[in-house]
Amino acid sequence: MGLGELIAKYDVPGAQVAVLTDGEVRDESAGVSDAGDHVTSDSAFRVGSITKIWTATLAQRLVDEGLLDLDLPVCQYLPGFTPSLTARHLLTHMGGLDSNHFFGIGRGGDALARYADALAAAEHPIPPGTVFSYSNSGFVVLGRLVEVLSGKPFHDVLHERLLTPLGLRTVVTEVGHGTAPGASDFAMSARELLLFVRLHLDDPRLAVLRETEVEAVPDFGSGVVGWGLGWMLHRDGVVGHTGVAKGHKAFLRVAPDFGTAVAVLTNSADSEPLAHEVFTEVLKSADTPPTPAVNPGKIPARMFGTYRNQLYDITLTAEDDRTVLLYRPRTELGRAKRVEVVRHGDSSVIAVTPTSDGYQVFSLVGEDESGRPMFLHNGSAAYRITPPR
């Protein structure tokens, strides 16, 4: 089935698919852009958190040059952070930093410096190394590390180290709100994303980024079984990343042992089924999205309680004959919501109604002295603040 048929099947306005095999990139485009233009090979789609692999690449270049030690305290480079936090923690999402900190920093040449200073001064209840917790904030700090150790603005380093040498023309390195250039601010074509990936497959110095750093990641429904330095690790030796950014969703999967990579870029938040079909066809393997069981069984009482992150207090509780997650905002950036869930596994629950990302899975991980979970985990960890009721 061609891409034009796929976007019609899944009601996606526009998309690009690129495939890397035998060192060559082939791509196909279909549909319309957000501006209503016909999508071509040179159209740029926002890639969200796939940006993080680019930041990890720059960090590894600094390691190779002896400018960065991943296991030294970050405070030796950026004063103010806790001495137990390292760049390896940031690259592997083990830093204990909440997913998103919003300080109203805005844009400007010193935005990353101001963001890093504000983050260093913020409260971080989860100590580094305690639990995997996906963090955009941590990669913004890595972006600042790149600036400090290179002596140049982050975007200038990107152009000098990656975009210009690779001859990339479609990559836009600042399309977001200005304080997440290390985390989720990029846009590009699928073809040029895979030209960047080809660098990773050709340069043996970058293979270290794909090695397992976190051996087990709590189940949050994404098919991720571990984490490298910036890379998500999937089954069967496949690595990749997924990115979401204001109505765009991007998917990258790489099979390094076979020299194969696939990128699917879309301007739809509901494009997961399309990407799944492409990966199944090209890689002959794809993660099966989770679904609620017909007879899920009872959720153990030990899981109930309230868990806190930067934006919400989240209470797992019973309502009549149902179990729900109640989100209570802690700042004006959050909004109250209610998510009905059922048991998914021995230590997880799953939403009964899908979102654009499918059925959300929430894992209950860690254990306190009373046998109660310490964290509610949906990619990022919220820490327990109350016992069961």
Side-chain angles (χ1 to χ4, degrees), residues 2 19 60 102 223 229 256 268 281 289 343 348 379:
V19 178
Q60 184 58 37
F102 300 98
L229 296 173
S268 169
E281 173 65 24
R343 186 168 183 169
S348 61

Side-chain angles (χ1 to χ4, degrees), residues 314-360:
I314 309 167
T315 300
L316 180 63
T317 187
E319 286 187 352
D320 299 324
D321 60 343
R322 299 179 179 182
T323 303
V324 295
L325 287 166
L326 300 176
Y327 284 72
R328 297 182 177 88
R330 300 184 61 227
T331 76
E332 66 280 2
L333 297 174
R335 63 179 181 85
K337 58 182 177 179
R338 175 183 179 277
V339 179
E340 184 180 350
V341 297
V342 295
R343 186 168 183 169
H344 184 58
D346 291 340
S347 59
S348 61
V349 297
I350 187 170
V352 300
T353 302
T355 67
S356 61
D357 294 321
Y359 292 92
Q360 288 184 293

Side-chain angles (χ1 to χ4, degrees), residues 187-226:
M188 65 194 69
S189 66
R191 165 174 285 275
E192 294 203 343
L193 173 56
L194 291 195
L195 293 178
F196 165 72
V197 169
R198 188 171 65 184
L199 169 68
H200 276 257
L201 299 180
D202 290 345
D203 188 341
R205 294 174 299 175
L206 295 176
V208 65
L209 299 181
R210 303 190 298 269
E211 294 179 2
T212 302
E213 291 280 340
V214 181
E215 293 187 356
V217 175
D219 180 14
F220 51 96
S222 66
V224 176
V225 298

Side-chain angles (χ1 to χ4, degrees), residues 2 52 81 88 132 156 161 173-174 197 210 221-222 227 246-247 251 278 331 339 348 379 387:
K52 292 179 174 65
F81 286 95
R88 191 179 302 276
F132 172 88
D156 290 352
R161 299 293 187 95
T173 61
E174 191 171 5
V197 169
R210 303 190 298 269
S222 66
W227 218 275
K246 290 189 176 180
F251 309 84
V278 172
T331 76
V339 179
S348 61

Side-chain angles (χ1 to χ4, degrees), residues 82-147:
T82 176
S84 59
L85 179 68
T86 69
R88 191 179 302 276
H89 285 140
L90 299 177
L91 286 163
T92 58
H93 301 284
M94 291 291 294
L97 304 178
D98 200 85
S99 179
N100 295 293
H101 284 78
F102 300 98
F103 300 114
I105 299 298
R107 296 182 181 273
D110 63 343
L112 275 179
R114 289 183 285 118
Y115 186 97
D117 288 344
L119 189 63
E123 181 182 3
H124 305 292
I126 302 175
T130 302
V131 64
F132 172 88
S133 186
Y134 190 86
S135 176
N136 288 310
S137 301
F139 268 75
V140 178
V141 176
L142 286 165
R144 177 56 181 158
L145 267 177
V146 168
E147 289 190 331

